[in-house]
Amino acid sequence: MTSGSDRRTFDAIIVGGGIVGAAAARALANEGLDVALFERNRLGFGASSRNIGFVFLHGRKGVSLDIARRNRLLLDTFYDEMGGDFEYRRNGGLVLCESQGQLSLIKEFVDARRRDGLNIEFIDRQSLLELAPDVHENVVGASFCSEDAQIGTATVVRALAGSAVRSGATVLEGYEVLEILTAGGRVTGISTAAGRFEAPIVVWATGPWHRMATSSGPLELPVKSMRNQLIATTPQLPRLKCVLYGAICLAAYTPLVKDLPSFSPDLFDRRETKAGECMMDAISQRSDGSYVFGGPVDDAGFSWEPDVDGVGRILRRFVRLFPGLSASGFKESWAGRIPYTSDNLPIIDRHPAATGLLVASGFSFGNSSALVAAEGLADLAMGRPKSALIAQLGIDRSTLTNDFSYSLG
Ligand SMILES: Cc1cc2nc3c(=O)[nH]c(=O)nc-3n(C[C@H](O)[C@H](O)[C@H](O)COP(=O)(O)OP(=O)(O)OC[C@H]3O[C@@H](n4cnc5c(N)ncnc54)[C@H](O)[C@@H]3O)c2cc1C
């Protein structure tokens, strides 16, 4: 979608064409700013196109639930505005109760989440089969949250970028930003292999690539990333009505379950889980009918590749949970990196290093936060006060530390 021109001067430059950068480009262009988005590869190349598509409020609490709820409203509005021109299924989401032994925990989880104000209930096996007909016969029920949804994140990125272009933005794919240019404590633009581009506002939205080179030296954000491996089948008949997690995801949403009376790490099937990683057992069926299933979340250096061991374990989990799908064709496997911060909230703020430098980084649940980020970035770019939500996502908040023990909650 390169909508380039020979122009070199803009009101605002966005660095990074993932869901956050594309949403930011649209929001700033809608403010009447002359915006250019620079993506070094192609739109959605990073975490956003490797994503499994969960819009999962089920596991959100406090500020992150507030963000996710606001984001769902904004997604609804954008979907209507686009005439339904991206993949968006508003059918809720499930966490499976895989055995009688997990029943008390899942019911306590549902009760606790209801007290947090979530629209969630426990459903028995019969109701579950209407949503997920192929689950293993041992699965006794599930928690069901009607606020959950599913998107094709790559389709949303393209819809956002397309909308930005229609509002006058320039989208440049294949342009790597090498440095953010500053002078006298202010941002002046960026440099690329194709030369310099000027703008008084630069938004850094590069997902897992969180190190910034600036004229006055490198900047490091308190962000890390974890590898997540996934597999996809060939297209199958459409049967799975909504996104779902196996019960083991609750071990990754630790803060939400660790104080529940029935919680014990021994409740989960860890046969395919290695020490030091989270196993997610996330499954969705895409609009083309293919199932996506994943997968281990681990550090793995800065690897973007799946490995044989990880893919093997995903496939064994998949067949155990969905034995009826074991004859499905295997299509592909891939990996991506999930950015995250110590408190699992993104950073959306002005960077103190230079006036005009805005940061949108550390998004571990970008499907449920990118549009909120864009709204906040528009306020920052226009010099308006931060909303109450964005004020909690500042770069100087005390919960941003170097303790990166990963949990999804
Ligand atoms: C396998 C996987 C599954 C996931 N599943 C979910 C899910 O179900 N639900 C959910 O909410 N979240 C999920 N996530 C997390 C979600 O994908 C991220 O929160 C979101 O995509 C982050 O978006 P982003 O725009 O910040 O980063 P990215 O999508 O990574 O975009 C950053 C972009 O910046 C570009 N870039 C980097 N450096 C430069 C540079 N110097 N110059 C120009 N461009 C540059 C990159 O090429 C990239 O395209 C998942 C992530 C992964 C990896």
Side-chain angles (χ1 to χ4, degrees), residues 14-22 38-56 60 151 153 157 172 175-179 204-211 226-230 245 282 304 334-339 360-370:
I14 316 288
V15 188
I19 191 168
V20 176
F38 287 74
E39 164 54 48
R40 76 165 160 211
N41 203 293
R42 57 183 154 72
L43 286 173
F45 168 78
S48 298
S49 65
R50 300 159 198 259
N51 192 294
I52 193 166
F54 283 41
V55 177
F56 207 65
R60 310 256 134 246
I151 57 174
T153 310
V157 172
L172 296 163
Y175 283 71
E176 178 172 13
V177 172
L178 302 174
E179 193 173 271
W204 191 264
T206 53
W209 296 272
H210 58 271
R211 289 190 185 88
M226 298 282 276
R227 177 179 65 160
N228 187 195
Q229 304 182 57
L230 300 171
Y245 273 126
W304 286 75
W334 68 92
R337 297 200 69 86
I338 307 176
S361 190
F363 290 80
S364 58
F365 57 106
N367 295 350
S368 292
S369 51

